[in-house]
Amino acid sequence: MLVYGDVELIESAAAVRASISRMMMACIEMQPSRQRHETLVRAFILTGELVQGLADQEFGKIGADDLSELQDAGAKLLRMQAREIMQSWRNGFAGSLSFPEDWTAKLASLTSADPVRMKRAEGYAFYALYPESYIEAASISNLTPNTVVIGIRSIGTGLAALVSAALGAGPAYSLRPTGHPFERHVRVTPALSRRMLADPETDFAIVDEGPGLSGSSFGCVGDWLQANGVAHDRLHFFPSHTGEPGPHASETHRTRWRDRPRHVVSFDDLILRARNPRHRLHTWAADVVGVTQSSWRDLSGGAWRGVRYRDPSHWPPSYMQMEKRKFLMEGERGAWQVKFAGLCGSDVEKARRGSLLSEAGFIPKIVGTCYGFTIDEWLDGTPLGHSGASRRDIVDHLGRYLGFRARHLPARNGGASIQKLSEMAIFNIAEAAGSDTAEILRRMIGTPERLSGRLRRVDTDNRLHPWEWLTTTSGRIMKTDALDHNAAHDLIGCQDIAWDVVGACVEFELSSKERDRLANIVGGEGGCDLRDDVLKLFEACYLGFQIGLWSQARVSVDGAETERIESTIKRYLDRLPQLIRP
């Protein structure tokens, strides 16, 4: 199934360096605080993305990883930033910073005449991966400063620097696995091999997030090291979780993974159960909302349904692995949802947009942010599908909401082209419904680029399911999760508002008359072109994406959750015939 997509940015190296420099200088001028620490981490993450992009650029020119003065400078700068993060963290965000005088020279050396293709680090953006967890994992690993640290690009570029800093080791190397996602391999020049393998009797730390469906990125670096004389018992892994590689892992990689040490400190141990209260998410959120005593409940992985629904038989499906970490905090002055929104400043940017939607009355009030999390008011209410709200009120509210987004929220990032969306839909429906159905769909879609000139990307919601809405005790309809589904780890991104219109039509099972009413309201509010041919094409793409998404979700669940997901997939498949019939 085609579901996921990398978030890539093509940037000028000079512009990125300028942003990093501004953040570093701001850190120097700021008083010791969690806010200073957050700024330092943002600078570190952006530096890692730049170094990764430049390293991949060099890799692309010769087809292998090689010795590089530019990458050496980047590794040293990242290690320096990692040391400052480590000291700030261990001091409870107190103490002074001690940037070496040559940090500006190292930063200035990260240059390229060509635009740089930088990949957004998925763990930092979507999966609550905090850099401090790698510092803590390295600190308890018992590895020595002689360890050779190897980061796997992309995100491993920076993660490896954190491990190096905590071990007191030399600057980390980074390697780019290539090939089929389940059968990766590395290409390393003899010169770089000689440097990395100068002492094959030392320990080697392999650093990345994951493992994912196959663990082949971790695996191929281990293969390369062992093929070049490094003993099996010299390999150490630094992943982002304690789990096994997924179902597509080779038996060789699976066996090695089980045999060798994996050094992990989880998010829960790092931030939820931290010994130092200054490191706890609960403390940060309580400071923002101004409460001294509060309770804390984890709503992640579908647990929020236990709060919103009294009867488990009414629970909607949950793609648990893709849900953001979120918590319910209740205190003497109210209740709040604390939800992961992303490092790199994503939390602040999302809160800013959320304030606009909140002021317009569409979502709960945004209270603030704290190190990657947004905090908004928790509203008591009934899920919209069980509230008894009239169909007309629902359609009218959906129209006003989508029209507001179309008019007031311009696209802040890219998204898949209409051609890519069509290819995804045909592929996913072939997998789920067979090649004959997919061929009918392909003929119906025709040449999707014919519509490109009529489309205008906006900040779409991308999640219009009924369980995303509440009717409050005062009778207001509110969207509970509206800030970041178009910046998720999938290939959709920001689209024309038609994507949300068909999403609402499918999820609320609107009649033709209701669809026309919705389109008229959105068109009038947002000034949009929502003719039938656009809506029909987007509905085909929407169904293809949802079928693929939920087909992926059912892989790792069982019991009642499987039944919920299967029912959801069937609902989308049942809608296909009426869409593609002549």
Side-chain angles (χ1 to χ4, degrees):
M1 293 291 181
L2 299 179
V3 173
Y4 300 110
D6 289 329
V7 180
E8 291 189 337
L9 304 171
I10 299 177
E11 302 282 0
S12 155
V16 177
R17 288 198 312 272
S19 295
I20 295 168
S21 180
R22 283 194 296 270
M23 285 187 276
M24 297 282 283
M25 294 302 297
C27 288
I28 293 172
E29 297 172 0
M30 293 171 74
Q31 293 298 312
S33 61
R34 192 189 74 244
Q35 289 71 28
R36 185 187 68 176
H37 185 86
E38 292 181 27
T39 304
L40 180 59
V41 169
R42 288 178 61 190
F44 170 79
I45 292 173
L46 187 56
T47 303
E49 292 176 352
L50 176 59
V51 174
Q52 164 263 308
L54 293 169
D56 282 347
Q57 196 175 72
E58 292 189 333
F59 182 98
K61 292 177 181 177
I62 66 172
D65 283 305
D66 195 6
L67 293 176
S68 164
E69 293 183 3
L70 183 152
Q71 292 182 53
D72 287 348
K76 291 175 182 176
L77 178 59
L78 284 168
R79 185 182 58 170
M80 179 274 291
Q81 292 172 325
R83 285 172 175 165
E84 298 302 320
I85 291 171
M86 179 173 64
Q87 292 305 316
S88 172
W89 180 255
R90 289 178 175 172
N91 292 333
F93 311 125
S96 60
L97 300 177
S98 55
F99 295 158
E101 292 183 0
D102 66 344
W103 75 266
T104 54
K106 287 185 174 66
L107 178 59
S109 68
L110 303 182
T111 185
S112 172
D114 300 318
V116 182
R117 186 179 298 272
M118 297 162 43
K119 292 189 177 182
R120 175 61 50 86
E122 296 163 4
Y124 298 141
F126 310 126
Y127 302 120
L129 178 61
Y130 278 71
E132 296 86 356
S133 65
Y134 281 74
I135 290 171
E136 298 296 352
S139 298
I140 60 176
S141 68
N142 293 322
L143 290 171
T144 71
N146 293 326
T147 303
V148 175
V149 183
I150 302 172
I152 299 174
R153 297 199 299 273
S154 299
I155 192 173
T157 307
L159 296 178
L162 297 159
V163 173
S164 290
L167 296 179
Y173 300 96
S174 77
L175 298 178
R176 164 58 69 190
T178 60
H180 188 278
F182 301 156
E183 298 178 359
R184 299 290 197 197
H185 58 273
V186 293
R187 297 191 184 103
V188 186
T189 64
L192 180 56
S193 296
R194 285 192 294 273
R195 183 197 283 186
M196 295 175 66
L197 302 168
D199 181 7
E201 298 302 314
T202 194
D203 290 312
F204 288 79
I206 306 171
V207 187
D208 196 13
E209 66 177 328
L213 291 174
S214 70
S216 66
S217 292
F218 275 112
C220 73
V221 175
D223 293 342
W224 178 80
L225 288 170
Q226 287 194 249
N228 283 275
V230 176
H232 174 79
D233 61 3
R234 293 294 185 182
L235 303 183
H236 292 254
F237 294 107
F238 285 80
S240 59
H241 61 78
T242 58
E244 297 276 314
H248 298 285
S250 71
E251 194 55 39
T252 297
H253 291 170
R254 198 179 300 278
T255 299
R256 183 195 290 136
W257 191 255
R258 292 169 178 166
D259 288 348
R260 298 306 305 141
R262 287 168 272 164
H263 306 287
V264 184
V265 171
S266 70
F267 169 87
D268 289 37
D269 287 336
L270 181 78
I271 289 178
L272 299 185
R273 297 187 289 263
R275 292 182 181 178
N276 185 343
R278 294 182 64 83
H279 291 165
R280 293 177 195 157
L281 176 60
H282 194 166
T283 301
W284 306 339
D287 288 346
V288 171
V289 301
V291 297
T292 55
Q293 299 291 328
S294 59
S295 63
W296 193 254
R297 180 171 178 176
D298 194 342
L299 302 183
S300 311
W304 56 272
R305 297 173 295 182
V307 180
R308 290 298 188 196
Y309 295 83
R310 294 181 180 178
D311 186 348
S313 66
H314 294 159
W315 284 11
S318 169
Y319 193 163
M320 296 181 184
Q321 293 87 346
M322 295 293 286
E323 284 196 14
K324 300 281 181 64
R325 296 302 302 266
K326 47 185 172 287
F327 305 88
L328 173 60
M329 184 173 69
E330 295 179 283
E332 60 268 24
R333 295 192 298 104
W336 301 267
Q337 178 180 238
V338 184
K339 180 187 176 186
F340 182 72
L343 303 179
C344 329
S346 298
D347 53 348
V348 176
E349 192 272 333
K350 290 174 184 177
R352 188 180 301 117
R353 287 196 339 280
S355 295
L356 185 63
L357 287 167
S358 175
E359 290 169 5
F362 293 115
I363 70 171
K365 181 181 178 181
I366 304 296
V367 178
T369 66
C370 59
Y371 197 11
F373 281 78
T374 54
I375 305 171
D376 59 80
E377 288 185 339
W378 177 268
L379 298 180
D380 290 326
T382 305
L384 184 55
H386 298 269
S387 69
S390 73
R391 299 283 293 184
R392 187 178 183 88
D393 285 348
I394 290 173
V395 171
D396 288 357
H397 186 82
L398 287 169
R400 290 190 295 271
Y401 171 68
L402 298 181
F404 182 89
R405 293 194 78 114
R407 181 174 294 278
H408 297 287
L409 295 178
R412 57 199 169 77
N413 53 267
S417 67
I418 191 67
Q419 293 88 344
K420 288 292 184 184
L421 290 176
S422 300
E423 292 167 8
M424 171 272 300
I426 293 167
F427 182 90
N428 287 356
I429 288 170
E431 291 275 306
S435 57
D436 290 345
T437 302
E439 177 59 23
I440 297 172
L441 183 71
R442 186 191 63 78
R443 291 199 298 267
M444 187 204 84
I445 288 174
T447 54
E449 57 271 16
R450 72 187 186 279
L451 302 177
S452 297
R454 291 162 51 192
L455 304 180
R456 175 174 62 91
R457 293 188 191 275
V458 299
D459 185 356
T460 42
D461 182 296
N462 288 18
R463 191 71 64 85
L464 275 297
H465 305 70
W467 59 80
E468 297 272 321
W469 301 81
L470 281 182
T471 300
T472 67
T473 52
S474 62
R476 299 171 63 197
I477 297 176
M478 300 289 280
K479 187 73 165 58
T480 62
D481 195 356
L483 301 184
D484 56 11
H485 292 305
N486 65 25
H489 187 196
D490 61 49
L491 52 75
I492 305 303
C494 290
Q495 295 294 335
D496 187 274
I497 198 63
W499 180 266
D500 277 349
V501 170
V502 301
C505 291
V506 170
E507 301 304 340
F508 284 88
E509 299 180 351
L510 301 187
S511 66
S512 297
K513 184 177 180 180
E514 289 171 330
R515 189 201 77 160
D516 292 344
R517 179 173 179 81
L518 175 65
N520 287 336
I521 295 172
V522 176
E525 295 270 345
C528 315
D529 182 354
L530 293 172
R531 280 175 278 180
D532 188 67
D533 54 347
V534 172
L535 294 177
K536 193 169 184 178
L537 176 57
F538 269 96
E539 181 169 343
C541 296
Y542 182 88
L543 292 174
F545 174 70
Q546 294 294 337
I547 289 168
L549 178 74
W550 292 105
S551 296
Q552 293 275 24
R554 69 184 171 190
V555 171
S556 57
V557 298
D558 53 26
E561 203 63 57
T562 300
E563 295 178 9
R564 295 185 192 104
I565 291 175
E566 292 289 357
S567 176
T568 300
I569 295 170
K570 182 178 184 300
R571 181 166 60 85
Y572 295 126
L573 287 170
D574 287 348
R575 193 175 174 99
L576 267 176
Q578 62 182 331
L579 175 69
I580 64 178
R581 67 189 176 198

